[in-house]
Amino acid sequence: MTERTGPDAIGPAAQPAARDAAEDAMRRLARLQPGEKGSLFTSDLTVNEFLLVREAGFRPLGLVLGSSVYHVGLQLGRWSKNQELTKLSQAMYQARELAMSRMEAEASALGADGIVGVRLDIEFKEFGSDIAEFIAVGTAVKADGADPGPVGTWLNNKGRPFTSDLSGQEFWTLIRAGYAPLDLVMGSCVYHVAHQRFTQVLSNAGRNVEIEPFTQALYDARELAMSRMRAEGEALEAEGIVAVQLKQHTHGWGGHTTEFFAIGTAVRPLRDDHVIDRPTVVVGLDG
């Protein structure tokens, strides 16, 4: 992931390094090295996605993953106050960064230019309600005829393999349209939404009325998540962020504490024009 910068920085960036990957993983990756006897690539791409990624000029190297089992600390919000729970926001950032950096380390060990089809999941374990595994999985790829444009490399401006959660079809379209992925950028905000006082609940009974404190809380929380994702894109000097998703999770914290998570793929231009050849209509002459 990109380094946190600016006033909205939350938590230190995890630097991807080969030492972050488990020894078993490094042995597995060694068997995937191109040219090694018995080596073969692995991928979670569908057949159509695999063929389109190859058509875009990239060769799959292997399935790469990163994992972090993380204890999410406790932070209580004031009953009647809208507020960000910064300790929890920080935990969600750091755990995801650990998983992403370990996945990137595996890709770097394979000599990959990027990782496509990235999935970033959270699974709360039976070890405890406050212990979760953060998992990042994707297919490492190597440029095989694809032109990186004027910068001369597919690595992003942090010197790391690009990451993208686009599907194989979307990735092919992006490359054909003259854009390149830079990195999977994200923004997170864990927010406590104030409770209503009993008198407020009674006064609103039977009425159609906006609960303004709730509206403001959710608006603020989404804006914090979006602005942090945007800051990551700006740090990469991206032209824009595509396929943005804005998700909401409670993670078992209760109805008044929720995480807003914004994620998308930062992109850069490969060329000045962004024209895709129109498909040719073919009319069959049989029957």
Side-chain angles (χ1 to χ4, degrees):
M1 301 300 290
T2 60
E3 295 181 8
R4 310 290 170 221
T5 57
D8 286 329
I10 294 187
Q15 298 295 330
R19 66 177 179 273
D20 287 333
E23 292 183 5
D24 286 345
M26 300 311 294
R27 285 194 290 269
R28 170 177 58 84
L29 295 173
R31 293 194 295 270
L32 295 176
Q33 293 290 346
E36 291 293 323
K37 183 178 180 180
S39 66
L40 74 162
F41 73 84
T42 56
S43 171
D44 60 350
L45 299 173
T46 66
V47 173
N48 288 341
E49 287 179 308
F50 161 68
L51 294 175
L52 285 171
V53 168
R54 291 291 287 129
E55 169 67 19
F58 290 86
R59 173 169 46 89
L61 298 177
L63 195 65
V64 289
L65 62 92
S67 173
S68 172
V69 178
Y70 207 90
H71 176 265
V72 180
L74 177 66
Q75 183 179 4
L76 300 177
R78 291 178 57 184
W79 178 270
S80 59
K81 182 180 179 180
N82 289 333
Q83 64 181 122
E84 181 183 11
L85 303 181
T86 55
K87 186 175 182 179
L88 296 183
S89 293
Q90 189 177 45
M92 304 305 283
Y93 258 126
Q94 291 174 344
R96 287 188 177 100
E97 284 181 353
L98 285 170
M100 288 291 292
S101 66
R102 287 165 181 162
M103 179 185 68
E104 290 172 349
E106 290 197 1
S108 295
L110 288 174
D113 290 312
I115 310 170
V116 299
V118 174
R119 302 192 314 275
L120 188 56
D121 297 323
I122 303 175
E123 297 179 1
F124 279 83
K125 301 297 185 181
E126 295 181 357
F127 312 139
S129 60
D130 52 359
I131 296 177
E133 182 182 20
F134 294 75
I135 310 166
V137 182
T139 297
V141 296
K142 183 76 174 177
D144 188 12
D147 182 4
V151 299
T153 179
W154 286 100
L155 302 180
N156 59 35
N157 65 356
K158 307 295 183 183
R160 306 172 189 170
F162 69 77
T163 57
S164 168
D165 62 349
L166 300 177
S167 68
Q169 290 88 338
E170 292 170 330
F171 179 76
W172 177 86
T173 303
L174 186 76
I175 300 297
R176 287 290 299 271
Y179 287 97
L182 283 169
D183 213 354
L184 199 59
V185 291
M186 69 178 186
S188 176
C189 175
V190 180
Y191 208 88
H192 176 262
V193 181
H195 292 71
Q196 285 185 285
R197 294 185 178 87
F198 184 67
T199 54
Q200 292 174 312
V201 175
L202 289 179
S203 64
N204 292 333
R207 299 171 57 203
N208 291 330
V209 59
E210 181 182 16
I211 312 298
E212 293 185 5
F214 286 11
T215 300
Q216 190 62 49
L218 299 182
Y219 197 104
D220 290 345
R222 289 189 179 97
E223 183 60 30
L224 283 169
M226 291 287 287
S227 65
R228 287 165 181 162
M229 179 188 69
R230 181 184 178 91
E232 288 199 9
E234 290 172 347
L236 288 163
E237 300 177 3
E239 182 174 294
I241 305 171
V242 300
V244 172
Q245 300 177 65
L246 185 57
K247 305 176 182 180
Q248 182 178 357
H249 308 283
T250 61
H251 298 306
W253 290 320
H256 281 260
T257 299
T258 188
E259 181 195 22
F260 288 93
F261 182 57
I263 188 169
T265 297
V267 299
R268 64 174 175 89
L270 287 170
R271 59 178 191 265
D272 293 334
D273 73 273
H274 303 292
V275 178
I276 301 179
D277 294 336
R278 293 182 178 273
T280 303
V281 177
V282 179
V283 179
L285 298 179
D286 297 332

